[in-house]
Amino acid sequence: MAVQSDIVDDAGPYDRAKALSAFKLGDMTFYWITRLSAISVLLILGGIILSLIVGAFPAMKEYGLSFLWTQRWAPSADPPVLGALGPMYGTLVTSFIAMLIAIPVGLGIAIFLTELCPQWLRRPIGMAVELLAGIPSIIYGMWGFFVLGPFLANTFQPFMIKLFDGVPVLGAIFAGPPSYLSLFNAALILAIMVLPFITSISVDVFKTVPPVLKEAAYGVGCTTWEVVRSVVIPYTRVGIIGGVMLALGRALGETMAVTFIIGNSFRISSSIFAPGTTISAAIASEFAESDGLHQSGLILLGLLLFVLTFFVLAGARLMLLRLEKKAGK
Amino acid sequence: MNFIKTIVAAGLVAASTSAFAADITGAGATFPFPIYSKWADAYKKETGNGLNYQSIGSGGGIKQIQAKTVTFGASDAPLKAEQLEKDGLAQWPMVMGAIVPVVNIEGVKPGELVFDGETLASIYLGKITKWDDAAIKKLNPNVKLPSDAITVVRRSDGSGTTFNFTNYLSKASADWKSKVGEGTAVEWPVGVGAKGNEGVSGNISQTKNSIGYVEYAYAKQNKLTYTGLVNKAGKPVQPTVEAFQAAASNADWAKAPGYYVILTDQPGEKSWPITAATFILMHKDATDKAASQEAIKFFRWAFKNGGKAAEELDYIPMPDSVVQLIEKTWAAEIKS
């Protein structure tokens, strides 16, 4: 026994230390691999911002802050006159209209799917929404160009133009002539493109509402509408806003589909049926054949989009915080 | 600030050179890409020597040759003589194309309408907004024109086509010159922008009462309704290979240093007013002389045997008189 215990005493600590150190090595490796992965994200992000700033610097120096409120975009003038107002306006307006359409429709689909839809219909509608998310944006662009654009220009736009003719403000927003390529057409395509994001995230969060809450509400005699309005939506508000933010980020940056159907005009028009451009469409169109100050101006536009997206998302988060305070959570 | 493009293109070129050590490398304009590849194929079959051409755009081509990453650069817009001198480059026109106005009006057939430069400029300035405007009617007394609004279509991307088109409008209209000017991307007063020749063609076919401008090849292949133009001599001409060659041969190549000739608005009764050459740029004193000589051999072969292939793709071969001038330039400028 003594002998054996000797062996154990000798071997014990030795083996234990060895075993532990082996674990330690594995642990450390694992720790550092994950840590480096996390840091690399920050490095990549920092690198992108830095290279954008470096690339945009000549244009910043040349135009300064006036870049933000100059509407002229004349790369061939000598010296080039560049201003971001047109593309910035187009980006915000198309995203805003897209959200105006996509949020109610997307939430409507989600509510129908989770609360009202008969079982047999649930799968096909859910699949259709998922498929909508899977369509490449170039296909949306082509469809918008060949099908939706002509349809809108021949039917919907003339109707709206006539309807609001002579009405102050609205008359200017829906002014003619009808056009295949316009801000509104691009916004409508964007709305269809971001619909699946809003719907699928909303469906997921609606499913997290405890059945007890809903049943209690039904139990005291609420209608489905009242349950959705006072139980489901308040309970899942954070998730819904998250989905909307994702969708908005997608809408702000969408390039290919928009380039096809927005008309690529840097001039700002009060009418949403006039051609316009967005930041990403402008960069995609002109970057390949640009140089010098023109190229720097385009990179500065990219930087602006980066900042714009950041502010929009930050703004959405702030809203979220205020909502939560109001709800007294 | 072209470093991203340079790195990418250099990477591509490097990758291709390592694979085929004997290849000539070139980069630049997208417009001549189809014909350069066709020539390269035929040349490889005949001689076994390959050519690797990257169509990255004229601006990129100029950058690449300046950075000496390629044997030759290709550009739709020629460099001025002083710029060539500064970079030690030789330049010559390789093949030509033409730009034609295209329209889509109910009942109007190809070649039926005629514009002059002034009218075309007024349409693109937004001064003429209806098809039955007096200025258009005066040029086309026998064509039935609708009173509908004109949808103006132009390129949204920077392009050599736009450079040549706006150069012509600047020559034809003082108003255009002062308000818009020329360039690969300009400040368009009106209209919708479409990406590439194919985008403009697509828009024109889709949109009633529209007008646009495309490379002749696109108009022909897509059966678009092209129009005639009144040339510098005051004669209405139709876009034909003959008219394009007339414009090229009437141009005064011999007196132009670096062949800096923009073929728009050339004299001559038969000349088509918006013809455009695409240019090749090479270092006079290249670091890799062997590659330079190989490239010259290829270009010589293309001038001699490539005419038919060019015409098949709706390009216009350079007239013989110009080719002889270019041969002299090679002998004088490119060091072997």
Side-chain angles (χ1 to χ4, degrees):
Chain A
M1 285 300 283
V3 172
Q4 268 179 353
S5 74
D6 262 5
I7 292 169
V8 172
D9 282 350
D10 278 352
Y14 172 73
D15 271 357
R16 206 163 138 233
K18 200 170 159 183
L20 273 180
S21 76
F23 279 137
K24 208 172 181 166
L25 187 70
D27 264 358
M28 284 306 283
T29 319
F30 181 63
Y31 170 77
W32 276 108
I33 287 175
T34 50
R35 186 176 215 184
L36 282 175
S37 309
I39 292 172
S40 72
V41 171
L42 290 177
L43 283 179
I44 291 168
L45 189 68
I48 290 172
I49 296 173
L50 201 67
S51 54
L52 278 178
I53 292 172
V54 169
F57 192 70
M60 284 189 210
K61 219 167 57 188
E62 178 73 20
Y63 305 111
L65 278 177
S66 71
F67 189 74
L68 295 175
W69 49 81
T70 306
Q71 197 201 315
R72 271 194 77 188
W73 184 269
S76 60
D78 194 28
V81 181
L82 303 175
L85 197 62
M88 275 183 1
Y89 168 85
T91 305
L92 292 173
V93 166
T94 48
S95 292
F96 177 74
I97 298 171
M99 288 292 141
L100 219 54
I101 301 167
I103 293 173
V105 176
L107 283 180
I109 297 172
I111 291 165
F112 180 76
L113 278 178
T114 51
E115 304 292 327
L116 304 158
C117 184
Q119 273 299 349
W120 61 270
L121 198 58
R122 220 165 259 202
R123 274 199 76 99
I125 293 185
M127 286 286 279
V129 172
E130 296 293 320
L131 280 176
L132 215 51
I135 299 173
S137 61
I138 185 97
I139 308 287
Y140 277 109
M142 284 160 66
W143 177 75
F145 180 76
F146 287 112
V147 182
L148 186 73
F151 167 77
L152 288 172
N154 298 329
T155 53
F156 180 74
Q157 291 182 4
F159 167 73
M160 294 298 271
I161 292 163
K162 261 207 198 65
L163 188 68
F164 291 105
D165 191 25
V167 182
V169 184
L170 287 176
I173 292 176
F174 298 106
S179 160
Y180 287 21
L181 308 168
S182 74
L183 285 168
F184 177 76
N185 299 8
L188 197 54
I189 289 275
L190 282 178
I192 298 169
M193 286 176 83
V194 300
L195 206 57
F197 287 85
I198 295 178
T199 300
S200 63
I201 289 174
S202 303
V203 166
D204 287 347
V205 295
F206 287 170
K207 281 181 183 159
T208 64
V209 180
V212 170
L213 286 182
K214 282 198 274 189
E215 281 155 17
Y218 283 122
V220 294
C222 290
T223 57
T224 310
W225 159 240
E226 285 166 328
V227 170
V228 168
R229 202 192 57 184
S230 329
V231 178
V232 176
I233 302 239
Y235 190 90
T236 55
R237 193 173 44 221
V238 175
I240 294 171
I241 293 189
V244 167
M245 272 171 22
L246 254 182
L248 182 58
R250 172 94 200 251
L252 284 174
E254 175 52 44
T255 309
M256 208 61 232
V258 171
T259 310
F260 257 77
I261 43 176
I262 198 159
N264 299 306
S265 166
F266 282 85
R267 289 173 186 273
I268 293 177
S269 159
S270 64
S271 168
I272 57 169
F273 296 150
T277 189
T278 67
I279 294 180
S280 47
I283 297 171
S285 295
E286 294 191 4
F287 198 79
E289 279 291 325
S290 64
D291 48 17
L293 209 55
H294 181 197
Q295 187 165 70
S296 179
L298 289 169
I299 296 174
L300 184 51
L301 272 184
L303 187 64
L304 277 178
L305 183 62
F306 199 96
V307 173
L308 198 72
T309 314
F310 178 81
F311 270 112
V312 165
L313 297 183
R317 284 211 175 273
L318 278 174
M319 229 167 55
L320 210 74
L321 279 174
R322 288 197 14 209
L323 280 172
E324 283 186 359
K325 275 209 181 86
K326 223 158 92 182
K329 275 180 188 164
Chain B
M1 275 321 308
N2 234 324
F3 66 94
I4 300 167
K5 242 184 340 196
T6 315
I7 288 166
V8 170
L12 288 173
V13 172
S16 59
T17 44
S18 58
F20 314 92
D23 273 11
I24 312 153
T25 57
T30 47
F31 155 67
F33 177 65
I35 185 62
Y36 289 177
S37 353
K38 196 169 177 175
W39 281 342
D41 271 353
Y43 186 67
K44 186 153 184 122
K45 281 197 189 92
E46 214 166 294
T47 64
N49 293 324
L51 167 97
N52 191 305
Y53 182 72
Q54 310 278 346
S55 64
I56 55 174
S58 298
I62 294 168
K63 292 251 166 7
Q64 291 299 312
I65 191 69
Q66 282 168 340
K68 300 193 178 186
T69 46
V70 286
T71 320
F72 70 90
S75 169
D76 289 339
L79 290 181
K80 292 222 161 70
E82 51 266 35
Q83 184 69 45
L84 292 171
E85 201 54 47
K86 212 182 86 190
D87 295 330
L89 292 170
Q91 167 177 282
W92 66 89
M94 193 66 217
V95 69
M96 292 181 297
I99 292 150
V100 295
V102 286
V103 295
N104 177 352
I105 309 168
E106 195 90 52
V108 173
K109 288 185 237 359
E112 217 178 327
L113 268 187
V114 172
F115 291 112
D116 58 14
E118 191 65 52
T119 312
L120 207 53
S122 296
I123 292 173
Y124 272 83
L125 279 168
K127 287 200 298 194
I128 294 179
T129 56
K130 296 258 192 291
W131 277 116
D132 59 354
D133 189 280
I136 304 177
K137 270 196 154 148
K138 198 173 135 201
L139 287 162
N140 305 282
N142 306 322
V143 184
K144 201 170 154 287
L145 290 159
S147 61
D148 294 299
I150 303 175
T151 303
V152 175
V153 183
R154 30 90 181 170
R155 291 282 289 268
S156 62
D157 51 328
S159 82
T161 312
T162 297
F163 168 79
N164 285 298
F165 183 72
T166 50
N167 173 279
Y168 168 65
L169 293 184
S170 298
K171 284 179 182 171
S173 150
D175 207 15
W176 181 272
K177 195 181 166 93
S178 66
K179 281 189 179 140
V180 184
E182 61 184 57
T184 52
V186 296
E187 185 188 17
W188 298 98
V190 290
V192 294
K195 197 163 164 40
N197 278 302
E198 61 284 2
V200 174
S201 317
N203 260 300
I204 299 290
S205 338
Q206 280 267 307
T207 318
K208 283 265 173 299
N209 303 315
S210 59
I211 183 168
Y213 61 93
V214 292
E215 296 282 354
Y216 166 71
Y218 276 88
K220 198 176 152 187
Q221 283 153 15
N222 294 303
K223 303 201 169 39
L224 295 173
T225 309
Y226 56 83
T227 73
L229 281 171
V230 176
N231 63 16
K232 198 169 181 168
K235 294 271 185 296
V237 279
Q238 289 295 320
T240 59
V241 170
E242 189 195 0
F244 307 151
Q245 285 199 309
S249 53
N250 276 317
D252 198 352
W253 296 97
K255 285 209 184 69
Y259 295 92
Y260 187 90
V261 174
I262 311 283
L263 286 176
T264 54
D265 214 20
Q266 291 299 326
E269 300 240 320
K270 288 191 178 138
S271 299
W272 178 253
I274 328 180
T275 308
T278 183
F279 294 80
I280 299 284
L281 293 156
M282 270 174 75
H283 280 283
K284 289 178 185 172
D285 192 5
T287 36
D288 186 350
K289 299 247 187 327
S292 257
Q293 287 312 306
E294 280 302 316
I296 296 285
K297 265 189 212 154
F298 167 75
F299 293 131
R300 184 170 291 131
W301 175 92
F303 276 138
K304 217 169 104 187
N305 312 305
K308 197 166 148 289
E311 276 167 12
E312 275 167 17
L313 291 177
D314 298 310
Y315 292 89
I316 303 109
M318 295 308 291
D320 287 341
S321 56
V322 182
V323 173
Q324 280 159 17
L325 280 175
I326 295 170
E327 280 283 357
K328 282 183 198 142
T329 304
W330 287 343
E333 291 191 357
I334 310 269
K335 288 192 184 132
S336 54

